[in-house]
Amino acid sequence: MKSTRRGVSLISLMVVIAILSGLLLMVGTLLRGLLVAEVATAARVSQLRQWEQLTIQFRRDVHAATDAGIFVSAEPIGQELQLTAPGGRIDYALRDGAVERHQPSMSRHDVWRFPDQQTEVTEDAEARLVTLRVTFPAAALDDTIHPAARAHALTIDAELGREHRQRPPATEPPR
């Protein structure tokens, strides 16, 4: 009787190992790419949330204000916006890629950080518009489809005292 031994040759085993290592390399590269994309997306979402919060708060404050003044601060160099509202004064400080909001009457202090981005505030006294602009370098842009993600600047326009002009005059109830 003839006995034949069945087994795997060394060449077959090396081919299988080479194929598996190639697949493992491709999967590892794909996972690394996905993790990098996730971190970048999380940072972008966080920045968009900050912009949304800043936009809502800035417009609310300017619309409620009756007067605004823009000053240049010396130490550290930046701009300051002082709004006079019925509830008290509200200060915005723009410096070092951050927008800080301080409301002394309520002991409230908010900070929105935009690293490596230029911030400025302007006022058009004739149109009663206050504009806050956050500009960031083109290198920081990604090529997403959403237009807001491709914009070079966030511009927030708010009409000074808008809230007061839109309210109907108070009338006394009939007796």
Side-chain angles (χ1 to χ4, degrees):
M1 237 198 291
K2 198 176 191 188
S3 80
T4 56
R5 295 175 79 189
R6 295 200 149 253
V8 180
S9 70
L10 184 58
I11 294 175
S12 304
L13 189 60
M14 288 176 57
V15 168
V16 169
I17 289 173
I19 290 172
L20 288 176
S21 65
L23 285 173
L24 188 62
L25 179 67
M26 287 190 313
V27 168
T29 304
L30 178 66
L31 285 175
R32 183 181 179 280
L34 288 173
L35 289 173
V36 167
E38 180 187 12
V39 168
T41 301
R44 189 68 175 162
V45 166
S46 173
Q47 186 178 48
L48 290 172
R49 280 191 187 138
Q50 280 194 57
W51 284 356
E52 180 183 28
Q53 291 169 356
L54 174 61
T55 301
I56 290 169
Q57 188 63 56
F58 184 77
R59 283 192 176 142
R60 184 179 296 145
D61 290 342
V62 173
H63 288 172
T66 55
D67 191 29
I70 299 174
F71 308 98
V72 176
S73 61
E75 230 7 83
I77 297 175
Q79 284 184 302
E80 292 185 14
L81 169 67
Q82 288 185 350
L83 298 171
T84 306
R89 192 180 88 219
I90 302 170
D91 299 325
Y92 278 87
L94 289 74
R95 57 178 74 93
D96 297 330
V99 178
E100 298 179 31
R101 178 187 182 274
H102 183 68
Q103 191 171 5
S105 62
M106 297 181 75
S107 298
R108 185 171 172 188
H109 187 84
D110 299 314
V111 179
W112 296 274
R113 298 201 184 283
F114 304 105
D116 303 324
Q117 298 174 3
Q118 178 185 351
T119 55
E120 68 176 334
V121 65
T122 58
E123 179 184 13
D124 182 354
E126 205 172 284
R128 295 186 57 85
L129 281 178
V130 178
T131 302
L132 175 63
R133 186 174 178 88
V134 179
T135 308
F136 52 97
L141 299 176
D142 55 11
D143 55 329
T144 57
I145 295 175
H146 195 280
R150 292 191 316 247
H152 294 277
L154 166 71
T155 304
I156 308 168
D157 290 322
E159 187 179 353
L160 188 64
R162 175 181 174 185
E163 186 178 289
H164 303 290
R165 286 193 297 281
Q166 289 186 344
R167 286 189 187 153
T171 57
E172 291 185 25
R175 294 182 187 187

